[in-house]
């Protein structure tokens, strides 16, 4: 593959309902899309960072800078036999995994198109359909949250995840369990607690949770190991895991029993597959987390979730849960049984809707071997 042209776009997509975590409330997503052209074929990638440097340090502005000034110039005009070759080229840049993932993942789509196979098949995925969970943000009231849980269960979702923070945790989980005693349920803290909260967190054990996700510091492994020794509930690490190496250290320290794999956080499909193989070899369950992606990022997550080590329902859900109108055709839908079919068509498996993308675009810039143009 020789990359002939890369285009960056920032789009704005309003959520159908606000999404609130311990970081704050999101109503509109700023998303940077990457479109790579090679040999007459096109692949799309998505930068999955938040609007503000709260989940991690990346933002649309930092991603645009790293892509424009480093990753794209390092990639244009070079011959790549496979998409996996680009990850080592990006390695000298410290961090910025979400920017790296967007361009690398676009090349995986191009390679799948070249070979006439689905993205899932190129990744060595084996699942024909994936089990879906749903992530429920903090609501205005417990009554609203319980109504949403009921609605999502009726829609077929197999697992519920509730965002928690200080003041919105034990009582909320108790009310969910009282009304829905048997549903698979997990809690996601997004680093809302410290080791000073160990006794408080022990109260979560009474709710028979599948896991508590990232209760302590966003970059911590050591304190999570101490916490896991105190809890019967499995700890799942998210923000702390940026690579297979991080996962190995966490597993060996006993910092977690489950890992959330996010494509952007680990730096793209090459790194995600390494993480997948490490967890399979250690018997650690994996699931695919979400970052309020558009349909393009959601399609990547579906392909990743087709790998056999993804044994728990992920946060890959229907387009209509987030967007009045997604930017792909067809939109992602969830069956009554709570599953999504893995596309078998070559490439991404969904068609980016260029008209909708253009309407949502607030800036774009294109890069060719002879230079670049901004608009």
């Amino acid at each position: 593959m020789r990359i002939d042209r890369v285009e960056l776009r920032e789009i704005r997509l309003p959520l159908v309902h606000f999404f609130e975590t311990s970081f704050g409330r999101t109503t509109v997503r700023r998303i940077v899309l990457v479109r790579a052209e090679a040999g007459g074929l096109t692949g799309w990638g998505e930068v999955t960072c938040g609007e503000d440097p709260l989940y991690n340090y990346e933002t649309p502005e930092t991603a645009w800078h790293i892509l424009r000034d480093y990753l794209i110039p390092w990639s244009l005009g070079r011959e790549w036999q496979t998409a996996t070759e680009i990850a080592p080229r990006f390695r000298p840049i410290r961090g910025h995994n979400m920017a790296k993932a967007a361009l690398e993942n676009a090349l995986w789509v191009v390679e799948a198109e070249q070979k006439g196979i689905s993205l899932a098949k190129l990744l060595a995925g084996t699942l024909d359909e994936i089990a879906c969970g749903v992530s429920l943000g903090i609501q205005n009231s417990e009554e609203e949250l319980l109504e949403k849980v009921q609605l999502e269960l009726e829609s077929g979702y197999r697992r519920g995840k509730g965002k928690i923070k200080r003041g919105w945790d034990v009582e909320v989980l108790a009310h969910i369990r009282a009304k829905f005693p048997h549903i698979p349920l997990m809690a996601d803290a997004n680093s809302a607690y410290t080791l000073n909260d160990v006794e408080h967190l022990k109260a979560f054990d009474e709710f028979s949770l599948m896991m508590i996700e990232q209760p302590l510091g966003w970059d911590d492994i050591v304190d999570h190991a101490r916490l896991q020794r105190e809890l019967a509930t499995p700890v799942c690490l998210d923000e702390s895991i940026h690579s297979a190496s991080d996962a190995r250290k966490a597993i060996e320290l006993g910092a977690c029993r489950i890992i959330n794999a996010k494509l952007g956080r680990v730096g793209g499909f090459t790194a995600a597959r390494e993480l997948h193989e490490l967890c399979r070899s250690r018997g650690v369950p994996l699931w695919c987390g979400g970052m309020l992606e558009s349909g393009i990022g959601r399609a990547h997550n579906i392909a990743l979730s087709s790998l056999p080590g993804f044994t728990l329902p992920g946060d890959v859900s229907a387009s209509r849960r987030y967007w009045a109108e997604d930017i792909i055709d067809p939109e992602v839908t969830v069956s009554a049984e709570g599953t999504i079919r893995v596309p078998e068509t070559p490439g991404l498996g969904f068609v980016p809707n260029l008209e909708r993308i253009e309407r949502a675009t607030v800036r774009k810039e294109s890069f060719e071997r002879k230079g670049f143009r901004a608009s």
Side-chain angles (χ1 to χ4, degrees):
M1 292 180 289
R2 184 189 296 275
I3 305 175
D4 302 311
R5 185 175 183 272
V6 178
E7 181 182 79
L8 298 181
R9 287 176 179 261
E10 181 186 336
I11 63 172
R12 304 282 174 94
L13 292 179
L15 291 159
V16 295
H17 187 274
F18 68 80
F19 192 82
E20 184 172 338
T21 71
S22 60
F23 305 136
R25 179 174 290 189
T26 300
T27 57
V28 177
R29 286 286 281 126
R30 294 179 60 194
I31 297 172
V32 174
L33 298 178
V34 176
R35 178 180 179 176
E37 298 178 8
L41 300 173
T42 299
W44 289 80
E46 177 170 333
V47 178
T48 58
C49 65
E51 289 68 37
D52 302 304
L54 302 177
Y55 174 84
N56 66 0
Y57 60 82
E58 291 186 79
T59 69
E61 298 301 330
T62 67
W64 197 283
H65 159 54
I66 294 297
L67 282 158
R68 171 195 166 117
D69 296 327
Y70 295 97
L71 304 181
I72 293 173
W74 288 7
S75 306
L76 274 175
R78 297 174 65 98
E79 286 285 354
W80 308 97
Q81 295 301 312
T82 67
T84 59
E85 292 180 0
I86 205 165
R89 181 70 181 97
F90 291 168
R91 198 165 291 143
I93 295 176
R94 304 286 179 90
H96 299 282
N97 282 354
M98 292 177 172
K100 293 175 181 177
L103 181 51
E104 183 195 320
N105 294 350
L107 292 190
W108 277 85
V109 175
V110 170
E111 184 178 346
E113 292 273 8
Q114 279 185 334
K115 295 179 176 178
I117 59 176
S118 68
L119 180 57
K121 185 69 68 176
L122 181 61
L123 291 168
T126 60
L127 303 178
D128 297 325
E129 61 181 12
I130 63 170
C132 305
V134 65
S135 181
L136 296 166
I138 296 166
Q139 305 298 315
N140 289 321
S141 68
E142 290 183 12
E143 291 74 19
E144 284 187 18
L145 177 61
L146 293 173
E147 289 174 4
K148 284 189 172 293
V149 173
Q150 181 67 53
L151 179 63
E152 302 300 354
L153 288 174
E154 291 172 355
S155 298
Y157 288 100
R158 295 188 179 185
R159 182 268 291 156
K161 180 173 83 171
K163 296 287 187 176
I164 58 172
K165 63 179 181 179
R166 288 185 177 89
W168 182 273
D169 51 16
V170 174
E171 289 188 6
V172 172
L173 292 172
H175 288 145
I176 294 175
R177 267 289 173 245
K179 186 169 183 180
F180 308 101
H182 304 301
I183 66 167
L185 179 65
M186 59 180 288
D188 185 3
N190 290 117
S191 306
Y193 304 92
T194 71
L195 275 181
N196 293 329
D197 300 304
V198 168
E199 292 304 316
H200 178 69
L201 292 170
K202 284 182 179 180
F204 290 28
D205 284 344
E206 68 180 276
F207 303 123
S208 300
L209 300 175
M210 297 173 64
M211 67 194 85
I212 177 171
E213 186 180 357
Q214 200 73 33
L216 306 181
W218 68 274
D219 57 350
D220 171 75
I221 291 176
V222 175
D223 285 352
H224 277 100
R226 180 175 167 187
L227 175 64
Q228 181 66 94
R229 291 194 293 269
E230 298 287 335
L231 298 182
T233 302
V235 169
C236 170
L237 288 184
D238 174 0
E239 288 96 319
S240 297
I241 306 299
H242 303 98
S243 65
S245 177
D246 287 342
R248 177 186 58 79
K249 295 169 188 174
I251 293 166
E252 291 179 358
L253 286 172
C256 64
R257 298 178 193 159
I258 298 170
I259 287 178
N260 169 343
K262 286 181 179 170
L263 261 176
R265 194 191 68 234
V266 301
F269 282 123
T270 300
R273 291 206 306 176
E274 292 172 357
L275 174 62
H276 169 264
E277 292 308 309
L278 182 279
C279 288
R280 283 194 83 193
S281 70
R282 302 297 179 95
V284 175
L286 271 177
W287 59 280
C288 182
M291 291 291 293
L292 301 178
E293 293 94 345
S294 77
I296 290 171
R298 201 167 301 271
H300 291 158
N301 288 345
I302 292 169
L304 179 65
S305 299
S306 72
L307 292 169
F310 285 82
T311 57
L312 298 175
D315 283 342
V316 188
S317 48
S319 296
R320 289 301 174 98
R321 285 204 69 253
Y322 300 102
W323 318 116
E325 192 174 46
D326 207 342
I327 60 170
I328 56 169
D329 293 316
E331 295 186 346
V332 177
T333 58
V334 174
S335 72
E337 293 74 34
T339 61
I340 294 174
R341 293 292 301 176
V342 177
E344 298 178 357
T345 52
L348 188 64
F350 300 85
V351 179
N353 187 302
L354 299 183
E355 181 182 348
R356 289 183 213 141
I357 291 172
E358 186 64 41
R359 288 203 309 265
T361 296
V362 296
R363 62 170 166 163
K364 61 183 177 181
E365 193 166 5
S366 61
F367 308 80
E368 299 177 9
R369 280 182 279 173
K370 59 184 178 182
F372 68 87
R373 300 191 301 274
S375 62

